[in-house]
Amino acid sequence: MTEDVPEDEAKTYDDRFLCFIDILGFSAYVMQHAENAKSVISNVKKIHQTSKDKITNIHGGELELSVFSDSIIISTAACSHAEDNMSRLCDLAWSVNSICIALLRAGFLTRGALVRGDLLHRDGTVLGPALVRAYQLETQSAIFPRIIVQKPARVLLEASGTRWVIPAGDGPYFIHTLKDFEERAKASHTIGWAKFSTSEPFRYIRACRDIIAQILEDSRENHKHYSYNKWFAKYFDRYVTRFGPANEAGWISPIVESDELT
């Protein structure tokens, strides 16, 4: 992945936004559940195709997807026009978010990086400096289950008016994967608990909360994995659990108790 590329191949690079996603724990899962793993990846590809079709129908954008081992690479072309760039990048963020949530529902957390740079991504081939940079950020800087965003892309996402990225306490900005969950939790106060408690959004929130709690519990005997998973559990508690109707008996409880020793 880090080898030099011949000069004639470098001429084929495009300016693209790229997101590199690592499906955490997926390699070990494949070794034990090969057929189920195929189903997970098949679902990811279906979600990507749905995103791609929707984006193409709306304004002719394009998305490329490659999957290998426990990694997903998704990219879209950048351009010289700021508004078009913003639109394309938001499409990419939306698609990345959809894939990460689908993987969460399947029991997997994700970690990665979103960058802009030179990349060849077509006809099943993906290579270039942008891929190397995204891989480096994922392995060296992301640390926790989150998709961190390099500054050139982050500035555009912030300017879009949609809360795609939020800052982490340890420095980097990352894709707000739970953005829709947060909005639903806040909306529960307007909708009313009687109606919201029987809605599909609430069932979805509760199911994901239980999945995260189980992922955390299953990693208790691995200190490194537990600390990573606990970060995501706290992220869920901060942006979803605390914004819901806490006074209602049926609302979800925090995954991590506030007084838990860390």
Side-chain angles (χ1 to χ4, degrees), residues 177-234:
T177 311
L178 301 177
K179 178 177 70 69
D180 290 343
F181 290 65
E182 178 187 359
E183 292 171 357
R184 296 287 189 177
K186 290 178 177 178
S188 66
H189 300 281
T190 303
I191 296 171
W193 177 244
K195 184 176 181 179
F196 186 75
S197 63
T198 60
S199 68
E200 184 60 28
F202 175 61
R203 287 191 288 271
Y204 200 79
I205 288 173
R206 184 171 56 192
C208 286
R209 183 260 178 220
D210 291 345
I211 289 169
I212 297 166
Q214 190 61 55
I215 291 172
L216 183 63
E217 181 62 30
D218 290 344
S219 63
R220 278 191 177 275
E221 296 181 7
N222 185 315
H223 176 72
K224 182 171 73 171
H225 291 174
Y226 185 78
S227 65
Y228 296 166
N229 296 336
K230 187 176 180 180
W231 180 93
F232 195 86
K234 286 184 172 181

Side-chain angles (χ1 to χ4, degrees), residues 64-77:
E64 292 291 338
L65 177 84
S66 295
V67 180
F68 58 93
S69 184
D70 56 356
S71 302
I72 298 171
I73 297 168
I74 181 168
S75 75
T76 190

Side-chain angles (χ1 to χ4, degrees), residues 139-177:
T139 55
Q140 300 171 16
S141 301
I143 304 174
F144 301 111
R146 59 190 178 185
I147 309 297
I148 64 174
V149 183
Q150 202 175 27
K151 187 174 181 178
R154 186 252 294 175
V155 170
L156 280 173
L157 286 173
E158 287 182 317
S160 71
T162 300
R163 198 161 168 241
W164 284 115
V165 292
I166 54 177
D170 60 330
Y173 280 74
F174 63 100
I175 295 287
H176 188 10
T177 311

Side-chain angles (χ1 to χ4, degrees), residues 5 12-13 19 43 47 49 52 67 87 108-109 119 127 140 146 157 161 185 187 197 204 231 238 248 252 258 261:
V5 179
T12 66
Y13 288 154
C19 188
N43 190 40
I47 291 170
Q49 190 59 51
K52 189 173 182 177
V67 180
S87 177
F108 300 98
L109 299 182
L119 185 76
L127 74 160
Q140 300 171 16
R146 59 190 178 185
L157 286 173
S197 63
Y204 200 79
W231 180 93
R238 178 176 180 181
E248 298 290 350
I252 57 176
S258 60
L261 295 175

Side-chain angles (χ1 to χ4, degrees), residues 50-90:
T50 300
S51 301
K52 189 173 182 177
D53 291 345
K54 182 175 180 179
I55 289 166
T56 299
N57 291 335
I58 292 174
H59 51 66
E62 56 86 26
L63 288 172
E64 292 291 338
L65 177 84
S66 295
V67 180
F68 58 93
S69 184
D70 56 356
S71 302
I72 298 171
I73 297 168
I74 181 168
S75 75
T76 190
C79 65
S80 57
H81 193 277
E83 288 189 8
D84 286 345
N85 259 348
M86 186 186 302
S87 177
R88 294 179 184 191
L89 187 54
C90 286

